[in-house]
Amino acid sequence: MDQHSSKMKLLLAACLLVAMNSSAHGANRFRIEDEQLAIGSTGNVVAVLADLDQETVGFSIHLRFDPNRVRIAEVRAGTGLLALEPEFSDGFIDNDSGELVHGVVLSLGEAIVESRIAPGQGVELLQLVVDVVAGEAGSTVLDLENTSGSPARRNVMTDGSGNSVSPAPQLADGRLSYQQLNPVIKHVQGNSGVAGNPFLVVGLNFNQPGLRVEICGNEAEHQLLGDGQTLQIFAPACNSEG
């Protein structure tokens, strides 16, 4: 083997090692996934997720939103935090200006922190409880934002040594789309007869999760037909005629 070939093999081996090391450590990132919500809906849960390439002992979230379109009613611990029982989890929600700040520290003591958020993809850090107040279909952004000033508002991750990760985490905003998704009844076919008889209800938005059908106060068995617009309903027994 000549000297030139040996150098080329060493160079290729070095490049391969760099590529392997680069793929082993993904960028730290805060992100909010896009969601589709119903106009007028309340209690929607929107998750703040993190992609972590190292152990984390704390973080701070800052985001902006349009309070004329959505309101944030509450911030809850995400599934990635529940078992860790953070000693500090607090912040504020300003539904007048459209701003949210929330910080979490797993341990406030000076001893070595044993409780840590493990590296991973899509770790659910927080749950935002969102109400849609917009009256017309559209969309808005939950904007993860770093701001300077006094006080500065930044999206920060703290590593296992208690230092802010560097470079700072990447930020991926979430877009919330909202439209009229509540059930709309257009017309009813064959809605007379005895209990157990099927009849049809034709309308819109019957394919949303959690749909229930009630007749005279009783829940009725139903199924959505293949056109996605027709419910076949089996009438329950009622205490009155009609």
Side-chain angles (χ1 to χ4, degrees):
M1 180 182 297
D2 58 28
Q3 186 176 5
H4 181 264
S5 298
S6 298
K7 287 183 178 180
M8 286 297 296
K9 288 192 174 182
L10 286 173
L11 180 60
L12 289 172
C15 291
L16 179 60
L17 180 60
V18 170
M20 290 175 62
N21 287 336
S22 298
S23 63
H25 297 284
N28 290 306
R29 181 170 62 153
F30 289 121
R31 58 186 172 92
I32 300 173
E33 294 187 340
D34 296 346
E35 299 279 354
Q36 183 171 301
L37 309 176
I39 292 175
S41 63
T42 60
N44 302 289
V45 175
V46 178
V48 177
L49 306 174
D51 300 329
L52 306 170
D53 68 2
Q54 59 193 285
E55 291 184 330
T56 307
V57 299
F59 62 89
S60 178
I61 293 291
H62 175 247
L63 63 83
R64 296 277 189 179
F65 59 94
D66 186 345
N68 295 314
R69 300 184 178 190
V70 295
R71 301 291 179 97
I72 299 179
E74 183 184 357
V75 179
R76 303 171 182 165
T79 56
L81 292 184
L82 290 177
L84 300 176
E85 299 181 352
E87 292 187 10
F88 176 85
S89 180
D90 201 6
F92 70 83
I93 304 167
D94 187 340
N95 278 312
D96 293 325
S97 66
E99 184 178 23
L100 178 145
V101 174
H102 197 92
V104 171
V105 180
L106 297 184
S107 176
L108 297 174
E110 296 182 359
I112 297 176
V113 179
E114 297 295 340
S115 182
R116 305 184 181 200
I117 305 171
Q121 301 292 306
V123 179
E124 187 183 78
L125 299 179
L126 299 174
Q127 293 181 350
L128 311 180
V129 182
V130 177
D131 301 336
V132 179
V133 296
E136 298 180 353
S139 66
T140 190
V141 173
L142 297 182
D143 182 11
L144 292 162
E145 180 186 71
N146 292 328
T147 61
S148 56
S150 182
R153 309 290 191 194
R154 303 191 65 80
N155 293 277
V156 176
M157 294 177 181
T158 306
D159 65 20
S161 300
N163 302 313
S164 295
V165 299
S166 182
Q170 298 177 6
L171 306 176
D173 303 329
R175 178 168 293 277
L176 304 183
S177 301
Y178 40 85
Q179 55 184 298
Q180 184 58 260
L181 296 178
N182 294 326
V184 176
I185 295 176
K186 290 186 174 181
H187 59 270
V188 181
Q189 301 175 2
N191 57 322
S192 63
V194 299
N197 279 7
F199 64 96
L200 302 177
V201 174
V202 180
L204 301 173
N205 304 324
F206 292 153
N207 60 344
Q208 299 305 308
L211 179 71
R212 297 176 66 247
V213 177
E214 287 190 0
I215 300 175
C216 59
N218 298 319
E219 188 167 358
E221 180 185 352
H222 63 278
Q223 63 178 349
L224 182 63
L225 301 186
D227 63 0
Q229 301 180 13
T230 304
L231 282 176
Q232 183 181 51
I233 302 172
F234 298 88
C238 293
N239 294 325
S240 59
E241 295 182 357

